[in-house]
Amino acid sequence: MLYAIISQDIEDSLALRKSARAAHLERLESLKQQGRLILAGPHPAIDSDDPGEAGFTGSLIVAEFDDLESAQSWADTDPYIAAGVYQSVQVKPFKKVLP
């Protein structure tokens, strides 16, 4: 089943994001190679693809996991959590309808 992992950053998280970005992307790449990643990306703090120093306010990941517990466990071990980037993370079942 698909799950949405919705994360909210702390204020001024950009430096922390940069420090943990490689490890964060490595985990996402692993999901992608397994054919389980539907989409992933950050929420820019301003209306721009490249927000520069404004940074980001959170992230969204939609991926396939066996169950909610597995999705939550995967989310709980994100390098961004260890680095202190996220103030909260919510994991919810997701039903893809379109496209």
Side-chain angles (χ1 to χ4, degrees):
M1 180 167 186
L2 296 180
Y3 294 87
I5 302 170
I6 307 156
S7 307
Q8 182 69 38
D9 283 17
I10 63 167
E11 291 288 324
D12 300 316
S13 63
L14 188 58
L16 295 173
R17 273 182 168 270
K18 288 178 179 180
S19 72
R21 188 168 192 264
H24 174 77
L25 292 178
E26 185 176 315
R27 292 179 80 232
L28 290 170
E29 184 62 35
S30 177
L31 282 180
K32 179 183 169 188
Q33 289 176 4
Q34 296 169 31
R36 297 170 43 206
L37 182 64
I38 303 305
L39 64 90
H43 301 287
I46 60 174
D47 191 11
S48 173
D49 284 341
D50 183 4
E53 291 303 310
F56 302 93
T57 62
S59 301
L60 171 64
I61 298 167
V62 177
E64 184 179 342
F65 293 92
D66 290 336
D67 52 38
L68 181 58
E69 184 178 336
S70 299
Q72 184 69 59
S73 178
W74 187 90
D76 288 345
T77 57
D78 192 306
Y80 279 174
I81 290 179
V85 173
Y86 294 148
Q87 75 178 17
S88 65
V89 178
Q90 184 177 21
V91 180
K92 300 167 65 167
F94 181 79
K95 179 179 167 120
K96 182 179 176 186
V97 176
L98 294 171

